[in-house]
Amino acid sequence: MRFFLLLLFALILDHAAVAQTVDPLPERALQRIGTPRLRHGSRIMALAFTPNGKNLAAAGGDDLIRLWDLETGKLTWQSAEAEPWVQALAFSPRGAAFFTGGAFKSVRFWESISGRPLGKLDKHTTPVKALALSPDSTLIASGSQDGTIILWETIVRLPVIELKNHNDEINQIVFSPDSALFASVSADRTVRVWDVEKNNLLHTLPAGCHPYAACFLYDGNPDRNDVKRLASAGDDNLITLWDAKAGTVLGKLAGHASAVVSLVGNKKGTQLISASLDGAVIVWDVEKKTKLQTFQRSLGDADALALSPDGKLVAVAGIHQAIRLFEVESGKEIHLGKGPQAGIAGAVLLDAGKVVASVTAHGEVQIWEAGVQKKAWNLKRQPLQHADYLLASAPDHKLLATANNLESEFRLWTPEGKDAGTLPLVKGEAPVSLHFAPGGKHLAVGLRSGKVELWDVPAKQKLKTLAYPGVPYALAFTTKHDRLAVSGESSVVLFDVAAGTTIRTFPSKEGMPATATPSVASLAYSPDGKMLALGCRDSLIRLLDADTGKEIRALEGHASVVNSLAFSFDSRTLVSGSFDKTARLWEVFSGKSIRTFNGHIGEVTAVAISSDARTLLSASTDTTMLLWDATSVAAKLSKSSDVPPPFSTLWDQLAHVEASVGQPALWEFVPLGNVGAGHIEKKVAEILVDPAAIDRWLTELSSPDFTTRDTARIELEKKGIWMEGRLRVSLKGTDNLESIRRIQKMLEKIQGRLPLEQERLRLRRIMAALEQIGTAEAIKTLKDLARGAPEKDLQVEAQETVVRMMQRSVKSG
């Protein structure tokens, strides 16, 4: 018995250990691709280790301040409120508090354990760009965008002196280890050394470049704090070593190929670590002025650099939102979570949603299956530059296209990573958008100059060039590939693809002057070809008539620019991704939001919806992608259920004005298969009409025979609110006072039930449910609706649904 108890205890501990390594998913998320560990949603501009070396704080961009556990990579806490564009961060010597400087023009104090704000120092009139705490904890030095430096007394939190010698922004401030000196680095091309006790300027050092960083170096003797050496670096790609007291140059370190923007030294004074825009971090032997170690990380990740207190671990981060950790001695990277090391610039669903293809902001294409990376290849040909990468997939998912805004070409790939060819664009042109036509044969490439090139992909031949009056960031083909919509500015241009001519131009918002019309960030045609969706920079999604450009409705809910749009196969739902860090699912025919998907900490750059409309994909600058349940009943869909839900409740919910109620009810029918279809069939039978019978009953309302009149009244009232329109037409067409009285009474009676619009909502949701059920019984009910739905447009929609089901059945068969 004791053995089994011990075994059980061991299993419990093992399960607990596994549970601790799993990152929880957001509500309704099915899977995460990538890791949330050591990830931010925006540019990381400041890093600092806690004094005990167990945690790392990070901040910057339009984001929160976060503290990370360096044993697991998990989040310890994050600030309750945003502190945007923090560019400087420093811990107190014992780590009980930390200080930040950023866009709010204040030096702020925070409690390290909880991240709770403790107070602030207000005197700067421009954003605080640099911050340092003296090693003896008596002073805080802050530098701002206008070149002002303020020394603050930490205990009383009052300014000691305000220094205005610099005439441009302060990039960094550093104290000497003995707190006797501090140095300021400015965009005015100088590094200045100050005497702390006298509050006066010792030296103005000509940097000879735009300097970004500085670091005081210990003299190498742990028994002395008589600091003399100062290192500075900037856009001359060099590190300059100075005698800080004499103001003379001691030497230079050369080895970077681009601007050096971060410096940090160890406490022994033996090593200096530099990070550059060239993608390299170099560990230097200060005495010998030689390289000890070089390791690469993401291009552009050099905004923030921090060295652990024991000098063994270096953290580096920047524009790619991922904090990367390296062992100083070996250069080995420490991974605390698997996944992309940069934000996701584009993503598509392949193979009925089972496979995801993505491209990162640092130019790596990755193929994922069941959340596991199967293939990856690097697109970078210019390793010293950062680019905006584009990704598009052919409709049959057998070909991918990539491009970036620095190379005058686009490239073709198979999903297995095989190079399928490179096609040249006009030299000097910068691609800004890619979009395959529905057949997959043609590809449109939008160029920054305003041109849109149309290519025959199999022939690898350019067919024609179209002209858009702006930058064509957004492209969309109709399903028949006869038209191409182009936008990116405040207007949408519709082109005839075959002729290469303009069909029409219309504004993104009707009735507004050009100066007040919002720019368009994304486009999508509905598969039925009836609608064009515009994702606008004013946060609205506008659904336009595909032929006339007239606005059908506007979808309101996002709080910022809509970056990406995708329709479901049946054109009934639309998914959107926004800069506001959310994805949303919309019911197109009601214009209402079905659900908001919250789970990303960075902007959502791309969205997609699976071919069965049951799974959504969202990709973000936070380096992760999330697969979401679009149905609310994902678990039920994996198995049939013999226990029907309360049909009366679901039936009422199907007619709810809010899509967030009606859509989940719709999906409850789907796992029931024929049981659900049978219940729907019974309800549908009650509203089916025979047009000839309706016409006869309307005529018989004026019959002189009471029995005939009353029978007609009863039959028409059975159809309820569906008869409202026909009755009102009859009312206008008669002068018979008795007929008018009868019709008015009937209208009063049917008005006591649900409004017609809610009945229409219910019937359209019923059709969606039947299409998802997909059985012969479901098709039969849809055919009945195609013949006898109470309104003509609903008959048409039912017939289109039947045709689509037949076509999909043929393709799958």
Side-chain angles (χ1 to χ4, degrees):
M1 177 63 71
R2 183 182 179 186
F3 170 78
F4 287 110
L5 288 174
L6 289 173
L7 178 61
L8 178 62
F9 183 64
L11 289 173
I12 292 172
L13 287 178
D14 184 60
H15 176 75
V18 171
Q20 289 176 0
T21 64
V22 176
D23 297 303
L25 289 172
E27 183 183 2
R28 289 280 287 273
L30 302 171
Q31 187 178 57
R32 178 188 287 110
I33 298 174
T35 179
R37 303 187 186 197
L38 299 179
R39 298 296 192 267
H40 280 236
S42 189
R43 181 177 182 173
I44 302 170
M45 307 177 76
L47 290 172
F49 282 90
T50 53
N52 62 12
K54 294 181 178 180
N55 299 91
L56 181 70
D62 184 18
D63 211 344
L64 306 176
I65 303 167
R66 295 183 175 88
L67 186 72
W68 301 95
D69 184 312
L70 289 177
E71 184 177 349
T72 63
K74 289 188 173 184
L75 184 67
T76 301
W77 57 254
Q78 62 186 19
S79 57
E81 58 188 78
E83 177 74 1
W85 299 101
V86 170
Q87 297 198 42
L89 194 159
F91 277 95
S92 63
R94 293 186 178 182
F98 66 94
F99 312 90
T100 60
F104 285 160
K105 308 175 187 178
S106 300
V107 176
R108 302 191 71 186
F109 296 71
W110 309 80
E111 184 180 65
S112 297
I113 296 176
S114 65
R116 181 172 59 92
L118 298 174
K120 59 181 179 177
L121 305 177
D122 289 321
K123 193 170 177 61
H124 285 289
T125 58
T126 58
V128 177
K129 306 293 290 291
L131 180 69
L133 179 67
S134 65
D136 62 10
S137 302
T138 61
L139 293 173
I140 296 171
S142 57
S144 60
Q145 189 170 298
D146 63 2
T148 300
I149 298 170
I150 301 177
L151 290 182
W152 309 83
E153 211 285 332
T154 55
I155 296 177
V156 296
R157 300 184 183 181
L158 292 174
V160 176
I161 191 170
E162 190 171 341
L163 306 169
K164 294 192 174 184
N165 299 63
H166 286 290
N167 55 34
D168 208 334
E169 66 181 14
I170 308 298
N171 290 326
Q172 191 171 12
I173 295 175
V174 289
F175 276 95
S176 63
D178 62 358
S179 302
L181 306 177
F182 77 89
S184 54
V185 177
S186 172
D188 65 8
R189 301 177 69 84
T190 68
V191 177
R192 303 192 184 215
V193 182
W194 308 81
D195 184 299
V196 172
E197 184 177 351
K198 297 178 181 179
N199 293 326
N200 68 335
L201 179 64
L202 288 181
H203 299 289
T204 298
L205 308 177
C209 65
H210 181 136
Y212 292 106
C215 174
F216 272 101
L217 301 172
Y218 285 79
D219 70 354
N221 186 339
D223 297 326
R224 296 178 56 196
N225 267 339
D226 186 16
V227 178
K228 294 181 180 180
R229 292 176 300 173
L230 173 71
S232 68
D235 63 2
D236 60 357
N237 309 347
L238 300 173
I239 301 167
T240 302
L241 300 177
W242 306 85
D243 182 323
K245 288 190 173 181
T248 57
V249 176
L250 299 176
K252 292 182 182 289
L253 304 178
H256 284 291
S258 189
V260 181
V261 296
S262 298
L263 290 174
V264 65
N266 68 357
K267 290 185 177 180
K268 294 181 180 179
T270 57
Q271 293 177 351
L272 178 68
I273 302 173
S274 58
S276 165
L277 297 182
D278 64 8
V281 174
I282 298 178
V283 181
W284 302 87
D285 183 309
V286 177
E287 298 298 331
K288 297 179 181 179
K289 298 183 178 59
T290 57
K291 297 179 185 178
L292 295 174
Q293 189 70 250
T294 300
F295 40 91
Q296 295 292 131
R297 80 283 175 269
S298 301
L299 203 66
D301 281 346
D303 289 321
L305 183 71
L307 184 66
S308 62
D310 61 7
K312 295 181 179 180
L313 197 64
V314 65
V316 62
I319 61 174
H320 291 129
Q321 291 78 254
I323 301 170
R324 301 182 67 177
L325 302 172
F326 296 89
E327 293 179 349
V328 173
E329 185 175 350
S330 67
K332 177 183 177 182
E333 184 167 5
I334 299 172
H335 295 281
L336 297 178
K338 294 182 179 180
Q341 295 279 14
I344 308 300
V348 292
L349 282 171
L350 310 175
D351 191 20
K354 298 176 183 177
V355 177
V356 175
S358 61
V359 63
T360 64
H362 61 12
E364 185 176 46
V365 175
Q366 298 164 331
I367 306 296
W368 309 85
E369 187 173 351
V372 177
Q373 183 174 294
K374 297 296 183 180
K375 290 283 182 181
W377 60 93
N378 203 318
L379 302 177
K380 290 186 291 185
R381 292 186 177 181
Q382 301 179 36
L384 302 186
Q385 298 193 57
H386 173 70
D388 295 326
Y389 287 93
L390 306 169
L391 174 70
S393 169
D396 61 4
H397 310 311
K398 294 181 179 178
L399 201 63
L400 300 173
T402 63
N404 70 68
N405 64 328
L406 296 180
E407 297 177 328
S408 299
E409 63 185 25
F410 65 92
R411 300 160 73 182
L412 302 171
W413 309 84
T414 68
E416 293 74 35
K418 182 179 178 181
D419 191 338
T422 299
L423 301 180
L425 303 169
V426 175
K427 188 174 181 180
E429 290 283 15
V432 294
S433 53
L434 289 174
H435 188 59
F436 275 98
K441 181 181 178 182
H442 297 105
L443 178 71
V445 185
L447 306 176
R448 186 172 294 279
S449 64
K451 298 175 183 176
V452 178
E453 294 188 353
L454 297 177
W455 287 77
D456 183 316
V457 175
K460 296 183 178 178
Q461 179 181 1
K462 183 167 67 174
L463 300 175
K464 54 179 63 73
T465 301
L466 310 174
Y468 175 75
V471 184
Y473 289 113
L475 308 170
F477 280 101
T478 54
T479 51
K480 295 180 181 179
H481 179 210
D482 57 345
R483 294 181 180 181
L484 174 67
V486 182
S487 192
E489 304 293 338
S490 60
S491 64
V492 181
V493 179
L494 197 60
F495 291 98
D496 181 306
V497 173
T501 56
T502 300
I503 299 173
R504 67 176 54 86
T505 298
F506 45 87
S508 62
K509 184 178 181 180
E510 290 182 298
M512 297 290 289
T515 54
T517 307
S519 296
V520 175
S522 53
L523 288 174
Y525 266 112
S526 60
D528 62 11
K530 296 178 181 180
M531 291 173 289
L532 177 64
L534 277 59
C536 298
R537 295 192 179 275
D538 64 355
S539 80
L540 296 185
I541 300 168
R542 292 178 169 83
L543 298 179
L544 309 184
D545 182 287
D547 292 321
T548 65
K550 296 294 183 182
E551 186 172 308
I552 300 170
R553 62 181 60 91
L555 312 184
E556 300 182 37
H558 281 300
S560 189
V561 55
V562 180
N563 291 324
S564 182
L565 294 167
F567 276 96
S568 61
F569 73 94
D570 58 5
S571 303
R572 292 188 175 107
T573 54
L574 177 73
V575 60
S576 58
S578 169
F579 186 85
D580 67 10
K581 306 176 186 178
T582 69
R584 281 181 177 256
L585 186 63
W586 306 85
E587 187 175 63
V588 171
F589 49 80
S590 70
K592 296 294 185 68
S593 175
I594 299 170
R595 189 172 183 89
T596 301
F597 297 94
N598 293 290
H600 289 293
I601 59 172
E603 68 171 294
V604 176
T605 54
V607 292
I609 187 165
S610 62
S611 57
D612 59 5
R614 299 182 181 188
T615 306
L616 308 182
L617 171 73
S618 61
S620 171
T621 57
D622 66 12
T623 79
T624 71
M625 292 171 281
L626 287 165
L627 291 168
W628 304 90
D629 171 24
T631 70
S632 75
V633 293
K636 294 182 181 180
L637 286 168
S638 62
K639 58 180 180 179
S640 60
S641 174
D642 297 325
V643 182
F647 286 127
S648 59
T649 300
L650 291 180
W651 192 254
D652 291 341
Q653 290 174 343
L654 283 171
H656 203 283
V657 292
E658 295 299 331
S660 57
V661 177
Q663 280 283 329
L666 174 169
W667 283 103
E668 286 287 352
F669 284 93
V670 179
L672 301 173
N674 282 335
V675 174
H679 181 74
I680 291 173
E681 182 183 20
K682 292 177 183 178
K683 289 290 189 179
V684 165
E686 298 174 5
I687 63 171
L688 291 174
V689 300
D690 177 350
I694 297 296
D695 291 340
R696 185 178 73 251
W697 291 331
L698 287 168
T699 301
E700 290 174 350
L701 284 176
S702 302
S703 172
D705 180 68
F706 171 78
T707 302
T708 302
R709 290 197 313 269
D710 201 48
T711 300
R713 176 189 62 79
I714 292 170
E715 292 299 330
L716 287 169
E717 285 181 354
K718 284 181 182 178
K719 303 304 177 184
I721 196 68
W722 292 109
M723 292 297 102
E724 179 184 11
R726 297 294 302 272
L727 288 171
R728 293 195 182 281
V729 171
S730 296
L731 189 63
K732 291 180 180 179
T734 182
D735 295 328
N736 186 293
L737 294 178
E738 185 62 25
S739 294
I740 291 172
R741 184 184 64 81
R742 291 193 203 101
I743 293 173
Q744 287 176 337
K745 281 189 174 182
M746 292 175 65
L747 285 170
E748 289 175 5
K749 189 171 183 179
I750 64 176
Q751 285 299 324
R753 303 175 187 177
L754 280 178
L756 179 59
E757 187 54 39
Q758 284 185 249
E759 291 287 2
R760 285 175 56 83
L761 284 175
R762 176 155 51 197
L763 196 52
R764 300 187 82 170
R765 288 166 183 160
I766 283 170
M767 286 190 268
L770 291 170
E771 185 166 9
Q772 285 289 340
I773 292 170
T775 63
E777 289 79 358
I779 294 175
K780 176 183 177 302
T781 303
L782 283 165
K783 288 181 176 178
D784 290 341
L785 284 168
R787 290 188 295 268
E791 296 184 350
K792 184 64 177 177
D793 66 324
L794 295 174
Q795 293 175 13
V796 172
E797 184 173 337
Q799 181 58 39
E800 290 173 345
T801 303
V802 171
V803 171
R804 188 165 53 243
M805 292 174 72
M806 296 301 187
Q807 291 173 341
R808 287 169 66 86
S809 178
V810 170
K811 288 181 180 179
S812 62

